Amino acid sequence: MSTTTARHQQTDPQAGATEGTEPPARPWTLVAGREIRVKLTDRNFLLSTLFTVGLIAAIFGIQAFFFNLSSAPEYRVAVTDPDAVAVVEQAGASMGADPFGGSTEEATVTAVQVEDEAAGRELVAAEEADVVLTREGGTWTVGADGDPPASLAGALQEAVRGQVMTDNAAAAGTTLGELMAGTEVAFVDYASADDSEGELVVFVAGLLFGMLFYVASLLFGLSIAQSVVEEKQSRIVEILTAAIPVRQLLAGKVLGNTALALGQMVLLVAVGLVGLSFTAYDAFLPMLAEPLLWYLPFFVAGFIALACIWAAAGAMASRSEDLQTTTMPLTLGLVVVYIVAQGLDGTWSVVGSYVPVMSTFLMPIRLLEGEALWWEPVLSLAVTLAFCWMTVRFGARLYRRALLQTQGRITFRQALSLGE
Amino acid sequence: MLQVDAVTRRFGDITAVDEVSFDVPDGQMVGFVGGNGAGKTTTMRMVMKLLAKDGGEVRWDGEPVTTDLCSRFGYMPEERGLYPKQPVLDQLVYLGRLHGMSAAGAQRRATELLERFGLGDRLRAKVETLSLGNQQRGQIIAAVLGHPVALILDEPFSGLDPAAVDQMSQLLREHTATGVPVLFSSHQLDLVDRLCDSIVVLHRGRVVANGTSASLRSTGPLRYRVSLGGDAGWVRGMPGLQVLDVDGSTAVVQPEDEQAAQLLLGEAVRRGPVHDFSRIVPTLSEIYREVAA
C-alpha cells in the first residue's frame, strides 16, 4: 500500500510536497472555526447582538440619567459662623453615609462662607444657595425661601443637636456618649431577614440568569440544528464525513457554537455590569461576583449538555422544514424547565439547583442569596457534567445514525433503532 | 488498486447490494453502470465508509481501507452538495483544509482550478447564485482538490453540457495519468463507453457484467449483416446458421461459428455482387439491456 501511495505522490505533477498527504491534526478546530466565521459574518446575527447590547445600554442609560437627575442632589448652605461649617460638614456626612438606610440618596452638602445674614439671603434669592445657617446668641436659625428641602433640614437639625449636646455635656462634666447610652432603639423586620432591595436584586438576577441561558440555548441550539440540516440537505455532509470522522464534525459544531454563545453571554453580562455600576445599585456588584463566576461553568456545561441533542435533532430532519418537528421536544423541554425553575422555592429550589440544566440558573441564585454552602455548587456542577457526558454520548449516537439517512424525517425512536 | 470484494448491504428485508465485487486498477477509469436502485450509490457510500457494510470488504492495495485512508479519497456525492450561501472559493478552501491542505495551498489550488474552468471571476460568488453546471464544476473541483489517491464520483457528468464533459473528463484523465484509480457512476452509457477503461454493470444489487467495453460487446452472439445485389432469400437454405431477418436484398444472420459465416460469404460472392458483409457488434446499451433484463 505504501509503495503505491508514494508513487501517486511522486508522479502527481500538481501535488505539493506536503499538501493533502496527512489528515489535519485537529479537524474539529477547522469545523469550529467555520461555524464561528459564518456566524460572525451573518448580518442577522450581528444586528440582533448589537440591538440587544444597545437595549441593555439604553435601559441602564435611562436609569442612570434619572438617578443623577433626581437622587443625587447638591445642597449649598450659606454660613456666617466658622462653627457652622463644622455643622454643615456633619450634616453632609450623615446624608451621604448610608445608601441603604431607607434612602438611596448620596447628597453632597457644601458650606459657602458669607459676610452676614443679608449676604446669605441674597445668595438664596439668586438660587446660589439653598438655605442660610446662622447663630444668634445661643440660637441656630435656618432661613430659606419657603420650606427648606426636608432632608437637608432634617440633617442640619440633627447636626446642630449633636453639636450643642456635645457642648452641653462637656459643660455638665460628662460626655455625649454617656448621656445617650441606651437611648438607641433597634428595629427588626420579621417579614424579611434581608432588605427589600437585596431581594429585588436577587429576583432580577435570577430572572436574567435564567433568561440568558434560555435564550442562548434556544437560539444557538436552533442554529446548531439548522447548520446540521443545511449540511444534510445539500449533501455536503457526505463530503465532510468522508474527509473527517463524524465525531470531529460534531465536536467542531458544538464547541464552535458554545464559544459563540459564551462570547455573546459574556458581552451582554459585561454591558449589564458596566451599566449597573452607573446606577444606585452599584453597591451590589461585589455580591454578584461569586455567583457570576459560578454561572460561567454552569452555563457552558448546561449548553454543551443540550448542544449534542440539538445537533441530533438537526440530523433527524431531512429538510429545514422538518426542524420545527424534530426540535419540538427540546424547545418545549426548555420552556418547561425555565418556567418550573422560576416557580420553585424553599426545599424545591434546593432540589432544583441539583437538576442539570435547571441548576445553571438556580445554583447561582442560591449563591446570590447566600444560602448555598461552598460544596454545593461543586457537587451540582459535577452532576451537570455527568449528565453532559451522557447527553453528549446519546446525542452523538443519534447524530451519527441519522446524519446519512436521506429518506425523510426520522423520529427519536427510529434514530435509536437505526444501524450505522 | 481499489478492490471491492463481496460487499453486501441490507436495508431491512431488502438486499440493496449483494456480494458486489470488482477492481478499480491504478490509473484506470472504471464506469459504474446500472439503473435507478441498482445499488451504485449504496456501493460507493460503502467504499467511502459512509455506510456500514453487512458483509465483504473494500481493500486498497490488498489492505482493508482505513478511515484515515478514506479521507485521502476524493469523493463526490450523488446530489451536488456545497453550502449554498457561502462563496465557492471559501468552501473549497475549507474542504481542502479538511483534507489536510494548508490554507494557502488550498487557496492557491482552488483558485487555479476555478480559473481553469472559467469561474475565475466568480470566486466570491455564493454557490446558490451559480448555474447548476458551474455548481457541479465546483463539486468536481472539491473532489480532486486534496490531491486524492483515488476518486469515487457519483454521477459526476449528469447535467453537464458536452464541452463541460470534455473539460471534466480531461481533468480526470490527468489524474489517471498519475496512477490514480477513478470509479464513476453514470446513466450515460455512450459516455461511459467513450471514457472508461472498463465497465461494471450493476443490476438489482448484483454485478451482471464486468470488463472492458470491447470484451463486453464481444460477449454478444455472432451476427452478420449481408447486403447483396439481388434478393437475399436464398440464405435461408444455408447450413449452420439461423436467419433472423430478410428484407429484400438484406439479411441478418446468426451463424453457429465463424466457419459457417465464411461459407455464407463464399456463396454470396459466387452468386453475385456483395455490397456489405459485416459483423454486428452490439452497442453497450444493447448489452446493458440484455444483462439487465
Side-chain angles (χ1 to χ4, degrees):
Chain A
M1 161 185 160
S2 57
T3 51
T4 317
T5 313
R7 180 165 54 77
H8 288 322
Q9 273 146 30
Q10 275 164 14
T11 49
D12 184 348
Q14 277 132 349
T18 56
E19 289 294 45
T21 52
E22 289 296 324
R26 282 182 299 276
W28 69 266
T29 55
L30 293 172
V31 179
R34 195 198 86 89
E35 290 289 323
I36 293 171
R37 205 167 43 248
V38 166
K39 206 79 180 157
L40 289 185
T41 52
D42 176 10
R43 192 194 304 258
N44 290 334
F45 175 74
L46 291 180
L47 282 180
S48 69
T49 306
L50 270 179
F51 177 77
T52 317
V53 168
L55 197 69
I56 295 177
I59 289 172
F60 281 112
I62 290 167
Q63 283 239 344
F65 177 73
F66 282 113
F67 172 64
N68 285 330
L69 198 71
S70 64
S71 35
E74 284 177 32
Y75 295 120
R76 292 165 69 82
V77 179
V79 292
T80 51
D81 194 316
D83 282 350
V85 176
V87 171
V88 169
E89 277 170 3
Q90 177 61 39
S94 76
M95 285 180 80
D98 181 15
F100 309 125
S103 151
T104 54
E105 288 185 347
E106 285 181 54
T108 50
V109 185
T110 338
V112 184
Q113 187 81 42
V114 290
E115 280 293 309
D116 51 17
E117 197 193 347
R121 275 187 166 196
E122 276 173 35
L123 276 187
V124 171
E127 291 189 359
E128 281 175 28
D130 296 277
V131 294
V132 187
L133 180 67
T134 52
R135 182 163 64 168
E136 280 293 326
T139 311
W140 288 88
T141 312
V142 174
D145 279 353
D147 287 332
S151 56
L152 178 63
L156 285 173
Q157 193 170 4
E158 192 79 12
V160 166
R161 185 180 294 147
Q163 180 98 4
V164 173
M165 282 178 80
T166 307
D167 293 348
N168 291 351
T174 176
T175 65
L176 183 59
E178 281 172 25
L179 278 177
M180 297 290 282
T183 59
E184 289 284 332
V185 177
F187 292 95
V188 179
D189 183 355
Y190 290 129
S192 93
D194 295 322
D195 55 311
S196 61
E197 293 205 326
E199 242 179 29
L200 181 71
V201 166
V202 169
F203 175 74
V204 171
L207 212 61
L208 288 180
F209 281 158
M211 192 62 111
L212 269 177
F213 179 76
Y214 172 72
V215 170
S217 186
L218 197 64
L219 286 186
F220 286 95
L222 272 175
S223 146
I224 291 176
Q226 236 146 24
S227 134
V228 169
V229 81
E230 184 198 12
E231 285 174 357
K232 201 179 157 179
Q233 196 169 2
S234 68
R235 302 292 160 90
I236 197 172
V237 70
E238 293 190 20
I239 302 178
L240 299 176
T241 50
I244 60 170
V246 173
R247 228 177 27 256
Q248 296 272 343
L249 183 62
L250 180 64
K253 262 185 197 307
V254 166
L255 293 176
N257 277 284
T258 307
L260 281 166
L262 186 66
Q264 200 187 42
M265 188 273 284
V266 167
L267 175 72
L268 295 183
V269 168
V271 171
L273 288 181
V274 170
L276 196 64
S277 71
F278 283 108
T279 70
Y281 297 102
D282 58 353
F284 292 106
L285 283 174
M287 121 190 205
L288 279 169
E290 199 202 345
L292 269 177
L293 280 180
W294 274 109
Y295 184 57
L296 281 180
F298 273 105
F299 182 94
V300 172
F303 186 88
I304 292 179
L306 296 180
C308 285
I309 304 189
W310 280 109
M316 279 184 279
S318 75
R319 292 167 303 134
S320 40
E321 290 86 340
D322 299 335
L323 272 184
Q324 213 178 352
T325 323
T326 57
T327 58
M328 175 102 95
L330 271 165
T331 41
L332 214 62
L334 265 177
V335 173
V336 169
V337 164
Y338 181 68
I339 291 175
V340 167
Q342 297 293 347
L344 292 182
D345 53 10
T347 315
W348 285 112
S349 86
V350 175
V351 172
S353 69
Y354 285 97
V355 175
V357 178
M358 210 179 263
S359 60
T360 304
F361 38 99
L362 282 186
M363 188 51 88
I365 295 172
R366 289 191 54 217
L367 286 164
L368 193 57
E369 287 171 336
E371 279 180 13
L373 298 169
W374 68 268
W375 52 266
E376 289 196 76
V378 179
L379 179 63
S380 172
L381 190 60
V383 172
T384 306
L385 286 175
F387 174 74
C388 186
W389 184 77
M390 284 192 298
T391 57
V392 165
R393 284 178 60 98
F394 174 73
R397 201 164 75 175
L398 289 182
Y399 176 77
R400 207 166 51 234
R401 291 179 176 190
L403 194 59
L404 296 168
Q405 300 288 326
T406 49
Q407 300 89 344
R409 177 166 57 79
I410 36 188
T411 62
F412 274 91
R413 189 187 297 268
Q414 281 170 328
L416 279 175
S417 62
L418 280 172
E420 308 235 332
Chain B
M1 181 165 76
L2 185 71
Q3 288 173 297
V4 177
D5 184 12
V7 161
T8 301
R9 172 73 200 203
R10 282 180 286 273
F11 294 108
D13 298 335
I14 303 156
T15 304
V17 173
D18 192 3
E19 303 209 341
V20 163
S21 301
F22 60 88
D23 294 347
V24 187
D26 284 346
Q28 287 208 11
M29 224 186 272
V30 173
F32 207 24
V33 177
N36 296 325
K40 303 189 297 287
T41 298
T42 305
T43 306
M44 289 178 136
R45 284 176 157 195
M46 283 192 284
V47 171
M48 291 309 296
K49 286 183 152 310
L50 295 173
L51 207 58
K53 294 177 278 288
D54 289 327
E57 195 170 55
V58 178
R59 285 190 291 270
W60 176 255
D61 292 344
E63 304 280 332
V65 169
T66 60
T67 313
D68 271 359
L69 179 68
C70 221
S71 75
R72 306 214 41 217
F73 289 179
Y75 174 63
M76 174 172 167
E78 186 182 11
E79 279 157 83
R80 343 259 140 261
L82 291 173
Y83 294 103
K85 297 198 185 300
Q86 246 195 300
V88 62
L89 180 62
D90 279 9
Q91 48 189 313
L92 287 177
V93 171
Y94 173 59
L95 293 174
R97 295 191 66 192
L98 288 184
H99 279 103
M101 299 178 85
S102 68
Q107 175 100 16
R108 199 167 47 240
R109 178 97 169 109
T111 309
E112 178 189 303
L113 286 166
L114 285 168
E115 278 169 356
R116 172 172 161 185
F117 295 116
L119 287 164
D121 54 344
R122 307 298 305 276
L123 298 180
R124 311 267 164 222
K126 285 182 183 172
V127 165
E128 63 186 358
T129 67
L130 298 177
S131 70
L132 283 178
N134 280 341
Q135 291 189 19
Q136 200 159 347
R137 286 179 173 89
Q139 277 261 298
I140 298 180
I141 293 172
V144 302
L145 192 64
H147 303 296
V149 295
L151 281 168
I152 312 292
L153 312 169
D154 202 351
E155 297 281 352
F157 297 111
S158 73
L160 287 184
D161 62 37
V165 169
D166 288 346
Q167 278 182 336
M168 290 303 150
S169 48
Q170 172 63 29
L171 179 66
L172 297 187
R173 277 284 166 221
E174 284 166 25
H175 281 83
T176 52
T178 63
V180 173
V182 176
L183 173 70
F184 77 86
S185 68
S186 180
H187 290 296
Q188 293 156 282
L189 293 165
D190 58 328
L191 193 72
V192 172
D193 197 8
R194 189 154 58 84
L195 291 179
C196 290
D197 300 298
S198 71
I199 297 164
V200 176
V201 183
L202 212 59
H203 182 62
R204 294 198 183 146
R206 288 175 167 275
V207 175
V208 288
N210 182 356
T212 62
S213 172
S215 73
L216 282 183
R217 292 163 71 164
S218 66
T219 59
L222 193 63
R223 282 174 189 172
Y224 281 92
R225 170 177 283 106
V226 198
S227 184
L228 304 170
D231 187 78
W234 59 266
V235 299
R236 292 187 196 279
M238 290 298 290
L241 59 76
Q242 198 185 341
V243 179
L244 300 176
D245 185 38
V246 176
D247 183 14
S249 61
T250 309
V252 176
V253 298
Q254 185 168 323
E256 278 169 4
D257 48 26
E258 196 55 43
Q259 204 182 349
Q262 294 309 316
L263 208 64
L264 173 68
L265 178 61
E267 180 62 21
V269 170
R270 201 181 60 76
R271 283 175 181 254
V274 177
H275 298 310
D276 183 24
F277 186 85
S278 56
R279 172 92 195 265
I280 299 174
V281 182
T283 63
L284 205 56
S285 312
E286 283 166 324
I287 298 287
Y288 173 72
R289 251 178 246 125
E290 204 167 298
V291 295

